[in-house]
Amino acid sequence: MQILRDLPALRAAVAALKSDGKKLALVPTMGALHDGHMALVEEARRHGRHVVVSIFVNPRQFGPNEDLDAYPRREAKDAQLLQAAGVDILWAPSVEVMYPAGYATNIRVSGVSEGLDGAARPGHFDGVATVVTKLFNQVAPDVAIFGEKDYQQLAVIRRMVADTNLDIEIIGMPTQRAEDGLALSSRNAYLSEQERKDALALPRALGEAKRQIEKGEPVEAALAKAIATLATHGFDPIDYVTLCDADSLEPIATFDRPARLLGAAKLGKTRLIDNIAVDLV
């Protein structure tokens, strides 16, 4: 596996890989890799003969009071995992390479980025769309793999790719979970032992709301019960628990189409997100 940090070297290496005419798949990450990331890498291998994984903790998607400085970084261990998984290139640029002096361009995706985390974390999805656009231009993948745990992020990227006519297939992979149901996340490392137990209230509350809504109970009542459950288990603040159209992410008050139930709340110092599909019977 090649570990590359400058753009000319990356482009030369990518050109060499793609010279055989086979597809190249990209898995963008911020590092601190866990089993969920490695499942994305495995999925990438199914869609591309060659696999590039990027590790870049993107400052433009963190707000001024968020955890940029504390975000876990362990590139050496990550590189060992990726090499063992047969990844061809680890693309690990510095902030100076990604955003050189004088950088002045921002990518904004309207609509799908504006509610939920877009409202709770102003500017977050501008940072996501900008860095992913740059990664796509740098790596020139045929396929890119993203997890559904960050469901709104996936929707933003799909919209951006469609709107800008990028010839890249976007694959969304179901959320990877621990045995007890908690969605895998690099931020889970922040949780204390008790918080890790309390965190299970999030997937369980969403699961119960899903069951109620699919049975025909009022959406508003199911959401209110989920919020009350989270509050009982120490989540504060609760940014949202919302039922949305599965494609547009517009909030819906009546369950009459494929939908997604999404929740985000803070437990201690750790902000957790999760989501689950709500299906018409």
Side-chain angles (χ1 to χ4, degrees), residues 21 24-25 28 30 34 44 62 76 110 120 135 138 144 146 148 150 179 193 197 212 219 223 241 243 260 267-268 275:
L24 184 147
M30 293 205 301
H34 49 64
F62 288 79
S110 299
L135 288 169
Q138 292 164 351
F146 295 86
E148 288 186 354
D150 294 301
E179 289 185 6
E193 184 176 348
K197 295 176 182 178
Q212 292 174 359
V219 170
L223 298 180
V241 176
L243 185 71
R260 205 85 182 184
L267 186 61
N275 69 86

Side-chain angles (χ1 to χ4, degrees), residues 12 20 42 47 61 68 152 178 186 199 205 241:
D20 62 5
E42 185 177 343
H47 294 274
Q61 68 190 69
L68 174 61
Q152 188 177 13
S186 299
V241 176

Side-chain angles (χ1 to χ4, degrees), residues 217-245:
E217 297 186 22
V219 170
E220 184 178 357
L223 298 180
K225 183 177 179 180
I227 290 169
T229 297
L230 294 181
T232 298
H233 285 83
F235 284 83
D236 182 38
I238 299 168
D239 288 336
Y240 58 81
V241 176
T242 308
L243 185 71
C244 295
D245 181 283

Side-chain angles (χ1 to χ4, degrees), residues 162-273:
D163 288 352
T164 56
N165 307 118
L166 289 172
D167 188 18
I168 301 171
E169 182 182 5
I170 304 300
I171 304 292
M173 189 170 180
T175 302
Q176 302 298 296
R177 299 183 180 274
E179 289 185 6
D180 58 10
L182 186 67
L184 297 181
S185 170
S186 299
R187 287 189 170 94
N188 290 350
Y190 299 159
L191 297 170
S192 69
E193 184 176 348
Q194 183 58 49
E195 287 170 345
R196 176 62 180 75
K197 295 176 182 178
D198 291 334
L200 293 175
L202 179 56
R204 290 172 180 173
L206 293 181
E208 178 59 25
K210 166 188 168 74
R211 287 187 287 273
Q212 292 174 359
I213 293 168
E214 289 178 345
K215 283 168 52 180
E217 297 186 22
V219 170
E220 184 178 357
L223 298 180
K225 183 177 179 180
I227 290 169
T229 297
L230 294 181
T232 298
H233 285 83
F235 284 83
D236 182 38
I238 299 168
D239 288 336
Y240 58 81
V241 176
T242 308
L243 185 71
C244 295
D245 181 283
D247 294 322
S248 71
L249 291 187
E250 286 289 329
I252 56 176
T254 302
F255 176 49
D256 56 2
R257 71 198 85 163
R260 205 85 182 184
L261 189 60
L262 302 101
K266 202 167 186 180
L267 186 61
K269 296 181 179 180
T270 308
R271 187 175 185 273
L272 300 176
I273 64 172

Side-chain angles (χ1 to χ4, degrees), residues 124-147:
H124 170 69
F125 287 117
D126 293 0
V128 169
T130 299
V131 79
V132 171
T133 298
K134 288 177 69 65
L135 288 169
F136 286 171
N137 283 328
Q138 292 164 351
V139 177
D142 301 288
V143 182
I145 316 294
F146 295 86

